[in-house]
PDB file of all heavy atoms in Angstrom:
ATOM      1  N   PRO A 275      20.155 -11.144  30.688  1.00 82.00           N
ATOM      2  CA  PRO A 275      21.421 -11.878  30.632  1.00 82.00           C
ATOM      3  C   PRO A 275      21.611 -12.630  29.320  1.00 82.00           C
ATOM      4  O   PRO A 275      22.672 -13.194  29.083  1.00 82.00           O
ATOM      5  CB  PRO A 275      21.304 -12.859  31.806  1.00 82.00           C
ATOM      6  CG  PRO A 275      19.834 -13.107  31.919  1.00 82.00           C
ATOM      7  CD  PRO A 275      19.174 -11.813  31.555  1.00 82.00           C
ATOM      8  N   ASP A 276      20.580 -12.644  28.466  1.00 85.00           N
ATOM      9  CA  ASP A 276      20.654 -13.411  27.221  1.00 85.00           C
ATOM     10  C   ASP A 276      20.000 -12.645  26.085  1.00 85.00           C
ATOM     11  O   ASP A 276      19.112 -11.812  26.292  1.00 85.00           O
ATOM     12  CB  ASP A 276      19.942 -14.763  27.373  1.00 85.00           C
ATOM     13  CG  ASP A 276      20.737 -15.737  28.209  1.00 85.00           C
ATOM     14  OD1 ASP A 276      21.787 -16.195  27.738  1.00 85.00           O
ATOM     15  OD2 ASP A 276      20.296 -16.033  29.329  1.00 85.00           O
ATOM     16  N   LYS A 399      24.383 -22.897  24.224  1.00 87.00           N
ATOM     17  CA  LYS A 399      23.722 -23.276  25.473  1.00 87.00           C
ATOM     18  C   LYS A 399      23.787 -22.127  26.457  1.00 87.00           C
ATOM     19  O   LYS A 399      24.811 -21.480  26.631  1.00 87.00           O
ATOM     20  CB  LYS A 399      24.382 -24.514  26.081  1.00 87.00           C
ATOM     21  CG  LYS A 399      23.625 -25.068  27.288  1.00 87.00           C
ATOM     22  CD  LYS A 399      24.230 -26.382  27.759  1.00 87.00           C
ATOM     23  CE  LYS A 399      23.416 -26.979  28.899  1.00 87.00           C
ATOM     24  NZ  LYS A 399      23.974 -28.273  29.353  1.00 87.00           N
ATOM     25  N   SER A 400      22.670 -21.850  27.096  1.00 83.00           N
ATOM     26  CA  SER A 400      22.599 -20.809  28.104  1.00 83.00           C
ATOM     27  C   SER A 400      21.757 -21.314  29.260  1.00 83.00           C
ATOM     28  O   SER A 400      21.081 -22.340  29.154  1.00 83.00           O
ATOM     29  CB  SER A 400      22.000 -19.531  27.518  1.00 83.00           C
ATOM     30  OG  SER A 400      22.133 -18.463  28.426  1.00 83.00           O
ATOM     31  N   LYS A 401      21.819 -20.595  30.348  1.00 74.00           N
ATOM     32  CA  LYS A 401      21.047 -20.983  31.528  1.00 74.00           C
ATOM     33  C   LYS A 401      20.405 -19.732  32.100  1.00 74.00           C
ATOM     34  O   LYS A 401      21.094 -18.773  32.439  1.00 74.00           O
ATOM     35  CB  LYS A 401      21.937 -21.639  32.572  1.00 74.00           C
ATOM     36  CG  LYS A 401      21.168 -22.156  33.795  1.00 74.00           C
ATOM     37  CD  LYS A 401      22.099 -22.789  34.811  1.00 74.00           C
ATOM     38  CE  LYS A 401      22.672 -24.084  34.305  1.00 74.00           C
ATOM     39  NZ  LYS A 401      23.489 -24.786  35.345  1.00 74.00           N
ATOM     40  N   SER A 402      19.085 -19.723  32.148  1.00 70.00           N
ATOM     41  CA  SER A 402      18.365 -18.560  32.624  1.00 70.00           C
ATOM     42  C   SER A 402      18.640 -18.334  34.112  1.00 70.00           C
ATOM     43  O   SER A 402      18.599 -19.269  34.916  1.00 70.00           O
ATOM     44  CB  SER A 402      16.859 -18.737  32.414  1.00 70.00           C
ATOM     45  OG  SER A 402      16.149 -17.692  33.032  1.00 70.00           O
ATOM     46  N   LYS A 403      18.929 -17.086  34.452  1.00 66.00           N
ATOM     47  CA  LYS A 403      19.095 -16.732  35.851  1.00 66.00           C
ATOM     48  C   LYS A 403      17.756 -16.624  36.569  1.00 66.00           C
ATOM     49  O   LYS A 403      17.703 -16.479  37.785  1.00 66.00           O
ATOM     50  CB  LYS A 403      19.855 -15.407  35.967  1.00 66.00           C
ATOM     51  CG  LYS A 403      21.312 -15.505  35.538  1.00 66.00           C
ATOM     52  CD  LYS A 403      22.051 -14.213  35.783  1.00 66.00           C
ATOM     53  CE  LYS A 403      23.519 -14.350  35.397  1.00 66.00           C
ATOM     54  NZ  LYS A 403      24.290 -13.103  35.638  1.00 66.00           N
ATOM     55  N   LEU A 404      16.668 -16.721  35.798  1.00 66.00           N
ATOM     56  CA  LEU A 404      15.346 -16.626  36.399  1.00 66.00           C
ATOM     57  C   LEU A 404      14.927 -17.936  37.052  1.00 66.00           C
ATOM     58  O   LEU A 404      14.301 -17.936  38.107  1.00 66.00           O
ATOM     59  CB  LEU A 404      14.318 -16.223  35.346  1.00 66.00           C
ATOM     60  CG  LEU A 404      14.553 -14.852  34.693  1.00 66.00           C
ATOM     61  CD1 LEU A 404      13.556 -14.623  33.574  1.00 66.00           C
ATOM     62  CD2 LEU A 404      14.456 -13.737  35.717  1.00 66.00           C
ATOM     63  N   ASP A 405      15.259 -19.060  36.406  1.00 70.00           N
ATOM     64  CA  ASP A 405      14.893 -20.335  37.001  1.00 70.00           C
ATOM     65  C   ASP A 405      15.991 -21.380  36.891  1.00 70.00           C
ATOM     66  O   ASP A 405      15.775 -22.549  37.200  1.00 70.00           O
ATOM     67  CB  ASP A 405      13.601 -20.870  36.370  1.00 70.00           C
ATOM     68  CG  ASP A 405      13.745 -21.106  34.868  1.00 70.00           C
ATOM     69  OD1 ASP A 405      14.870 -21.015  34.343  1.00 70.00           O
ATOM     70  OD2 ASP A 405      12.723 -21.371  34.230  1.00 70.00           O
ATOM     71  N   ASP A 406      17.176 -20.965  36.438  1.00 72.00           N
ATOM     72  CA  ASP A 406      18.343 -21.846  36.351  1.00 72.00           C
ATOM     73  C   ASP A 406      18.126 -23.006  35.384  1.00 72.00           C
ATOM     74  O   ASP A 406      18.800 -24.030  35.465  1.00 72.00           O
ATOM     75  CB  ASP A 406      18.716 -22.380  37.741  1.00 72.00           C
ATOM     76  CG  ASP A 406      20.204 -22.742  37.815  1.00 72.00           C
ATOM     77  OD1 ASP A 406      21.017 -22.002  37.242  1.00 72.00           O
ATOM     78  OD2 ASP A 406      20.542 -23.761  38.439  1.00 72.00           O
ATOM     79  N   LYS A 407      17.164 -22.857  34.468  1.00 82.00           N
ATOM     80  CA  LYS A 407      16.881 -23.923  33.516  1.00 82.00           C
ATOM     81  C   LYS A 407      17.619 -23.666  32.222  1.00 82.00           C
ATOM     82  O   LYS A 407      17.462 -22.612  31.604  1.00 82.00           O
ATOM     83  CB  LYS A 407      15.375 -24.025  33.248  1.00 82.00           C
ATOM     84  CG  LYS A 407      14.989 -25.236  32.397  1.00 82.00           C
ATOM     85  CD  LYS A 407      13.484 -25.364  32.267  1.00 82.00           C
ATOM     86  CE  LYS A 407      13.113 -26.590  31.436  1.00 82.00           C
ATOM     87  NZ  LYS A 407      11.638 -26.743  31.296  1.00 82.00           N
ATOM     88  N   PRO A 408      18.470 -24.589  31.762  1.00 88.00           N
ATOM     89  CA  PRO A 408      19.244 -24.349  30.540  1.00 88.00           C
ATOM     90  C   PRO A 408      18.355 -24.343  29.295  1.00 88.00           C
ATOM     91  O   PRO A 408      17.292 -24.955  29.258  1.00 88.00           O
ATOM     92  CB  PRO A 408      20.226 -25.525  30.510  1.00 88.00           C
ATOM     93  CG  PRO A 408      19.567 -26.597  31.310  1.00 88.00           C
ATOM     94  CD  PRO A 408      18.772 -25.896  32.359  1.00 88.00           C
ATOM     95  N   PHE A 409      18.800 -23.602  28.290  1.00 91.00           N
ATOM     96  CA  PHE A 409      18.115 -23.600  27.005  1.00 91.00           C
ATOM     97  C   PHE A 409      19.144 -23.379  25.914  1.00 91.00           C
ATOM     98  O   PHE A 409      20.264 -22.922  26.165  1.00 91.00           O
ATOM     99  CB  PHE A 409      16.995 -22.545  26.950  1.00 91.00           C
ATOM    100  CG  PHE A 409      17.455 -21.121  27.151  1.00 91.00           C
ATOM    101  CD1 PHE A 409      17.727 -20.305  26.065  1.00 91.00           C
ATOM    102  CD2 PHE A 409      17.588 -20.584  28.425  1.00 91.00           C
ATOM    103  CE1 PHE A 409      18.129 -18.995  26.238  1.00 91.00           C
ATOM    104  CE2 PHE A 409      17.994 -19.275  28.614  1.00 91.00           C
ATOM    105  CZ  PHE A 409      18.269 -18.479  27.520  1.00 91.00           C
ATOM    106  N   LYS A 411      19.976 -21.505  22.395  1.00 94.00           N
ATOM    107  CA  LYS A 411      19.497 -20.298  21.717  1.00 94.00           C
ATOM    108  C   LYS A 411      20.167 -20.088  20.364  1.00 94.00           C
ATOM    109  O   LYS A 411      21.344 -20.358  20.166  1.00 94.00           O
ATOM    110  CB  LYS A 411      19.736 -19.072  22.607  1.00 94.00           C
ATOM    111  CG  LYS A 411      21.187 -18.835  22.986  1.00 94.00           C
ATOM    112  CD  LYS A 411      21.327 -17.623  23.892  1.00 94.00           C
ATOM    113  CE  LYS A 411      22.792 -17.371  24.254  1.00 94.00           C
ATOM    114  NZ  LYS A 411      22.954 -16.182  25.098  1.00 94.00           N
ATOM    115  N   ASP A 698      27.602 -17.297  27.182  1.00 72.00           N
ATOM    116  CA  ASP A 698      27.520 -17.687  28.587  1.00 72.00           C
ATOM    117  C   ASP A 698      28.855 -17.414  29.266  1.00 72.00           C
ATOM    118  O   ASP A 698      29.926 -17.584  28.667  1.00 72.00           O
ATOM    119  CB  ASP A 698      27.178 -19.171  28.705  1.00 72.00           C
ATOM    120  CG  ASP A 698      25.732 -19.442  28.317  1.00 72.00           C
ATOM    121  OD1 ASP A 698      24.964 -18.489  28.215  1.00 72.00           O
ATOM    122  OD2 ASP A 698      25.388 -20.615  28.122  1.00 72.00           O
ATOM    123  N   ILE A 765      30.067 -23.484  29.453  1.00 83.00           N
ATOM    124  CA  ILE A 765      30.429 -22.757  30.662  1.00 83.00           C
ATOM    125  C   ILE A 765      30.127 -23.545  31.930  1.00 83.00           C
ATOM    126  O   ILE A 765      30.775 -23.366  32.955  1.00 83.00           O
ATOM    127  CB  ILE A 765      29.725 -21.382  30.689  1.00 83.00           C
ATOM    128  CG1 ILE A 765      30.444 -20.426  31.640  1.00 83.00           C
ATOM    129  CG2 ILE A 765      28.266 -21.526  31.047  1.00 83.00           C
ATOM    130  CD1 ILE A 765      31.839 -20.072  31.208  1.00 83.00           C
ATOM    131  N   ASP A 766      29.117 -24.423  31.864  1.00 76.00           N
ATOM    132  CA  ASP A 766      28.793 -25.202  33.055  1.00 76.00           C
ATOM    133  C   ASP A 766      29.520 -26.548  33.089  1.00 76.00           C
ATOM    134  O   ASP A 766      29.247 -27.383  33.946  1.00 76.00           O
ATOM    135  CB  ASP A 766      27.283 -25.410  33.172  1.00 76.00           C
ATOM    136  CG  ASP A 766      26.685 -26.060  31.944  1.00 76.00           C
ATOM    137  OD1 ASP A 766      27.421 -26.243  30.954  1.00 76.00           O
ATOM    138  OD2 ASP A 766      25.485 -26.387  31.983  1.00 76.00           O
TER     139      ASP A 766
END
Side-chain angles (χ1 to χ4, degrees):
D276 286 290
K399 188 174 184 179
S400 190
K401 184 180 291 185
S402 172
K403 291 185 178 181
L404 298 174
D405 61 9
D406 206 39
K407 187 175 181 180
F409 60 95
K411 59 181 181 178
D698 288 346
I765 200 65
D766 56 354

